[in-house]
Amino acid sequence: LHAPLNELPRLSADLLERLRTKAPRVHCITNGAAQAFTANMLLAAGAVPSLTIAPDEIAAFTASADALLVNLGTFDAERREAAEMAVKVATEAGRPWVLDPVFIDRSASRAEFAKMLAVCKPAAMRLNCAEFTALADAAPEEDAVKRYARDNLTVIGLTGVADLITDGARSTRIDNGHELMGRVTAMGCAASALAAAFLAVEGDALIATAAALLCFGVAGEMAAHQAAGPGSFAVAILDAIHTLDRRALVERARVS
Amino acid sequence: LHAPLNELPRLSADLLERLRTKAPRVHCITNGAAQAFTANMLLAAGAVPSLTIAPDEIAAFTASADALLVNLGTFDAERREAAEMAVKVATEAGRPWVLDPVFIDRSASRAEFAKMLAVCKPAAMRLNCAEFTALADAAPEEDAVKRYARDNLTVIGLTGVADLITDGARSTRIDNGHELMGRVTAMGCAASALAAAFLAVEGDALIATAAALLCFGVAGEMAAHQAAGPGSFAVAILDAIHTLDRRALVERARVS
Amino acid sequence: LHAPLNELPRLSADLLERLRTKAPRVHCITNGAAQAFTANMLLAAGAVPSLTIAPDEIAAFTASADALLVNLGTFDAERREAAEMAVKVATEAGRPWVLDPVFIDRSASRAEFAKMLAVCKPAAMRLNCAEFTALADAAPEEDAVKRYARDNLTVIGLTGVADLITDGARSTRIDNGHELMGRVTAMGCAASALAAAFLAVEGDALIATAAALLCFGVAGEMAAHQAAGPGSFAVAILDAIHTLDRRALVERARVS
């Protein structure tokens, strides 16, 4: 591991503390199914979410936010317009933004829109293997993912059984998480929002994204210990993010 | 009971297993309040939900889905257009679809739209007594419900203290469920989505609908045993659907 | 305390009983992130929520409701139009309505819209200090809040660490609640919805609003006792509202 990735668990604990102290504002353009859970994940972590997509408000909300999330789930015309305006405002203001190209493997028009946004320099993108393939027109192999990150000057957080986080030059793999994460809607969306919150308090986008996904994965494991199924898991992961501490991060992290 | 309805508990267990193995895609056009809970119910049962209503995506999502849900809650112009396109695509592709005419007793324009959709041959409709009356212009008595199902070549799942499921020729009654179901939003919506998931793996629409409602009712009873109120009930029913097994279905089923 | 505010805990218990018996319909124009939680809070309390914003339905739903909530979160053009129509219908029908000017401190256009609605005589407004300042162009001090309520012929429920409820002539302060309330999205929105439900069964708007906020605060304290974090807190407060009784209200109320 490149330094400082070998220190990721401790760095993640530092960033989580910073997030709780600074309470950054994260504006989220996200899908209807994900809005409440995403807002609750951000609040549980210590950030302040806002969610409007109204054209005459999006600039004001984005300009006064510390980071932006653009999630393409249930994407309609109004969200599309909001996303374009918000990305423009965030870019001009030098605010980091995260792209989550939900389900672009299921819709050609959404994939096209994602490709258009991807060249607008998001600080990070979080996606799964099918979404990466649709975005990059390439199989989700490590080399292809690194190349895509390098070519697009971004950080890729490719999540699945294991997570790969790379900026092309530096990479890390996180083996935390739990299969119940795949049984709750908006889990990936919430992870992307968390990445945006970490980016609001840390300028190294690779570290911020990796720290967010590590915290999310460890919280997921802790939640799974208490859960009787996906319903109680979704509740417990919010509690776990809220109470997550340095010791749990250092003890449970499986980073390579 | 006509065969195979006398075997409903065992058949329901078979179908639930099939659902978990096949993981069918269910596209849901549903209301904002129901999106997250509906998606979570489908994921807990083993299906894969999608939720977009964007006009340029709805055809692609519906065509690649194994079943469709059209729920009329919080119905706006965009959802209306999406519903018409999706029903057309599903019909052409031979995919089963379910109509849930939420609250049509409260809005004449919504009732009219539901009547228009009802003649497009949904595989099943799930509704309550007030909604049936608004749809069929008839009191929700057993004979009227059977006649409506027969006339419209559909299956009616009329839910309430007891559920009546009928295709006009064959009928069954399910006495499972719990009163806390009436204290959580989107419970009926989630039941309709579950019916769509079962229809994706079983061609006999009466059996599929009855099996879905039996699983839902039994899960609701199991959830009520652990719940301290409607908040914990909504969590517990997701856990219960996820862990529901043959033994619980056979032991708890109250079918006649 | 003016009578009958010195009897607020007992009055609140009476109103909660009345609410459970009458099951008033509350139509909610509210933001996407808040819809499900708001509906679940109303159902847990005993009311019947509806949520549509479709232009051709809003009049029918509002006219057949017993109270109306207008919440300005994630406000788009369709919600804006719906709000104006609904307020008109509610006013003509003599139905009480509640304004919740969410995040108007973050958007000038939303603040302007809130000011326009505020002169349409809502029975009550629930807001936080930043929102009051944006609405009234005044610091959220007790005298300014009272003056604003008096000038606008409304009740203000200013919530925070302590809640101030005033109609300008009469005032009360409630010290119940818990800090976890600030870590769950839509908590304030749900409190406003509860105020609308209480207004549906009690004509004295000050008493209704104060009773709703007292029930909400006491339920929040009870929920916090059982919660391990914001996820389980959001579940537990729904259970607590559902099971809240006279004894808990009288014992726990901190009203002055």
Side-chain angles (χ1 to χ4, degrees):
Chain A
L1 282 179
H2 288 70
L5 279 170
N6 55 350
E7 292 292 332
L8 189 60
R10 261 170 267 189
L11 277 172
S12 300
D14 292 346
L15 292 187
L16 190 55
E17 259 174 45
R18 207 186 296 165
L19 200 166
R20 288 168 179 161
T21 305
K22 290 200 170 178
R25 291 172 167 184
V26 181
H27 190 69
C28 304
I29 298 174
T30 192
N31 67 82
Q35 284 187 321
F37 190 69
T38 298
N40 280 330
M41 184 61 70
L42 288 171
L43 285 163
V48 179
S50 58
L51 297 155
T52 192
I53 57 163
D56 61 345
E57 296 191 327
I58 190 74
F61 272 88
T62 304
S64 60
D66 302 298
L68 170 69
L69 168 71
V70 177
N71 172 303
L72 304 188
T74 63
F75 223 67
D76 49 35
E78 197 172 19
R79 276 189 173 79
R80 208 166 288 217
E81 192 189 341
E84 290 179 300
M85 293 175 66
V87 165
K88 191 165 172 290
V89 170
T91 302
E92 285 169 7
R95 299 278 191 286
W97 66 283
V98 173
L99 177 63
D100 185 337
V102 180
F103 261 160
I104 57 170
D105 50 310
R106 292 281 294 278
S107 158
S109 72
R110 198 186 291 189
E112 206 176 316
F113 187 66
K115 286 176 184 182
M116 191 270 282
L117 286 179
V119 299
C120 300
K121 302 213 181 100
M125 299 190 218
R126 196 217 51 85
L127 33 58
N128 65 28
C129 285
E131 292 155 356
F132 177 81
T133 300
L135 183 70
D137 297 314
E141 284 155 18
E142 192 164 336
D143 281 349
V145 177
K146 287 181 182 173
R147 193 177 323 117
Y148 185 88
R150 202 163 40 232
D151 290 353
N152 289 276
L153 301 174
T154 191
V155 168
I156 298 291
L158 185 76
T159 57
V161 176
D163 300 342
L164 168 66
I165 301 97
T166 182
D167 63 5
R170 298 173 296 166
S171 299
T172 187
R173 179 188 152 110
I174 298 175
D175 279 293
N176 294 96
H178 191 274
E179 62 182 356
L180 277 171
M181 282 171 157
R183 295 287 179 184
V184 178
T185 197
M187 270 291 156
C189 307
S192 298
L194 206 58
F198 276 77
L199 283 159
V201 297
E202 168 58 45
D204 183 332
L206 181 75
I207 295 296
T209 307
L213 293 178
L214 177 61
C215 290
F216 198 71
V218 169
E221 284 182 17
M222 294 169 72
H225 275 282
Q226 306 191 319
S232 44
F233 178 76
V235 170
I237 196 172
L238 293 171
D239 290 352
I241 278 285
H242 186 68
T243 53
L244 190 59
D245 60 17
R246 184 174 300 272
R247 187 173 162 178
L249 273 169
V250 171
E251 279 180 3
R252 289 174 180 272
R254 282 177 286 150
V255 176
S256 56
Chain B
L1 281 180
H2 288 70
L5 279 171
N6 55 350
E7 293 292 332
L8 188 61
R10 262 171 267 189
L11 278 172
S12 300
D14 292 346
L15 292 187
L16 189 55
E17 261 174 44
R18 208 186 295 168
L19 200 166
R20 287 168 180 161
T21 305
K22 291 201 170 179
R25 291 172 169 184
V26 181
H27 191 69
C28 303
I29 298 172
T30 193
N31 66 82
Q35 285 188 319
F37 190 69
T38 298
N40 280 330
M41 184 61 71
L42 288 171
L43 285 164
V48 179
S50 58
L51 298 155
T52 193
I53 57 163
D56 62 345
E57 296 191 328
I58 190 76
F61 272 87
T62 305
S64 60
D66 302 298
L68 171 70
L69 168 71
V70 177
N71 172 301
L72 304 188
T74 62
F75 224 66
D76 49 36
E78 196 172 21
R79 276 189 172 78
R80 208 166 286 217
E81 191 190 342
E84 290 179 299
M85 292 177 67
V87 165
K88 191 165 172 288
V89 170
T91 303
E92 285 169 7
R95 300 277 191 287
W97 67 281
V98 173
L99 178 63
D100 185 337
V102 179
F103 261 159
I104 58 171
D105 50 309
R106 292 280 295 278
S107 159
S109 72
R110 198 187 290 190
E112 205 176 317
F113 187 67
K115 286 176 184 180
M116 191 270 282
L117 286 180
V119 299
C120 300
K121 301 210 181 100
M125 299 190 219
R126 195 216 52 81
L127 32 58
N128 65 27
C129 286
E131 292 156 354
F132 177 82
T133 300
L135 183 70
D137 298 315
E141 283 155 18
E142 192 164 337
D143 281 350
V145 178
K146 287 181 182 174
R147 193 179 321 117
Y148 185 87
R150 201 162 43 233
D151 290 352
N152 290 277
L153 302 173
T154 193
V155 167
I156 297 291
L158 185 77
T159 56
V161 177
D163 299 341
L164 168 66
I165 301 99
T166 182
D167 62 6
R170 299 172 296 166
S171 298
T172 189
R173 179 188 152 111
I174 298 175
D175 280 294
N176 295 95
H178 191 273
E179 62 181 355
L180 277 172
M181 283 171 157
R183 293 288 179 183
V184 179
T185 196
M187 270 290 156
C189 307
S192 298
L194 206 58
F198 275 77
L199 283 159
V201 298
E202 168 59 44
D204 184 332
L206 181 74
I207 295 296
T209 307
L213 293 178
L214 178 60
C215 290
F216 198 73
V218 169
E221 284 181 18
M222 294 169 71
H225 274 282
Q226 305 190 317
S232 45
F233 178 77
V235 170
I237 195 172
L238 293 171
D239 289 352
I241 278 285
H242 185 68
T243 53
L244 190 61
D245 61 15
R246 184 173 301 271
R247 187 172 162 180
L249 274 168
V250 170
E251 278 180 5
R252 288 175 180 271
R254 281 177 286 150
V255 177
S256 57
Chain C
L1 282 179
H2 288 71
L5 278 172
N6 55 349
E7 292 292 331
L8 188 60
R10 262 170 265 189
L11 277 171
S12 300
D14 292 346
L15 292 187
L16 189 55
E17 260 174 44
R18 207 186 295 165
L19 200 166
R20 287 168 180 162
T21 305
K22 291 200 170 179
R25 291 171 168 185
V26 180
H27 190 69
C28 303
I29 298 173
T30 193
N31 66 83
Q35 286 188 319
F37 190 70
T38 299
N40 280 331
M41 184 61 70
L42 288 171
L43 285 164
V48 179
S50 57
L51 298 155
T52 192
I53 57 163
D56 62 344
E57 297 191 328
I58 190 74
F61 272 87
T62 305
S64 61
D66 301 298
L68 170 69
L69 168 71
V70 177
N71 172 303
L72 304 188
T74 64
F75 224 66
D76 50 35
E78 196 171 19
R79 276 190 172 79
R80 208 166 287 219
E81 192 190 340
E84 290 178 301
M85 293 176 67
V87 166
K88 191 166 174 287
V89 170
T91 302
E92 285 169 9
R95 299 279 190 286
W97 68 280
V98 173
L99 177 63
D100 186 336
V102 179
F103 261 160
I104 57 170
D105 49 311
R106 293 280 295 276
S107 159
S109 72
R110 199 187 290 189
E112 206 177 315
F113 187 67
K115 286 177 184 180
M116 191 270 281
L117 286 179
V119 299
C120 299
K121 300 208 182 104
M125 299 190 218
R126 194 217 52 83
L127 33 58
N128 65 28
C129 286
E131 292 156 355
F132 177 81
T133 301
L135 183 70
D137 298 313
E141 283 155 19
E142 192 164 335
D143 281 350
V145 177
K146 287 181 181 173
R147 193 178 323 116
Y148 185 88
R150 201 162 44 232
D151 289 352
N152 290 276
L153 303 174
T154 191
V155 168
I156 297 291
L158 184 76
T159 56
V161 176
D163 300 341
L164 167 67
I165 301 98
T166 181
D167 62 5
R170 299 172 296 166
S171 300
T172 186
R173 179 189 153 110
I174 298 175
D175 279 294
N176 294 96
H178 191 274
E179 61 181 356
L180 277 171
M181 283 170 155
R183 294 287 179 183
V184 178
T185 196
M187 269 293 155
C189 307
S192 298
L194 206 58
F198 275 77
L199 282 159
V201 298
E202 169 58 43
D204 184 331
L206 181 74
I207 295 296
T209 306
L213 293 178
L214 177 61
C215 289
F216 198 72
V218 169
E221 284 181 17
M222 295 170 70
H225 274 282
Q226 305 190 320
S232 45
F233 178 77
V235 169
I237 196 172
L238 294 170
D239 289 352
I241 278 285
H242 185 68
T243 53
L244 190 60
D245 61 16
R246 182 174 301 270
R247 187 173 162 181
L249 273 168
V250 170
E251 279 181 4
R252 288 175 179 270
R254 281 177 287 150
V255 176
S256 57

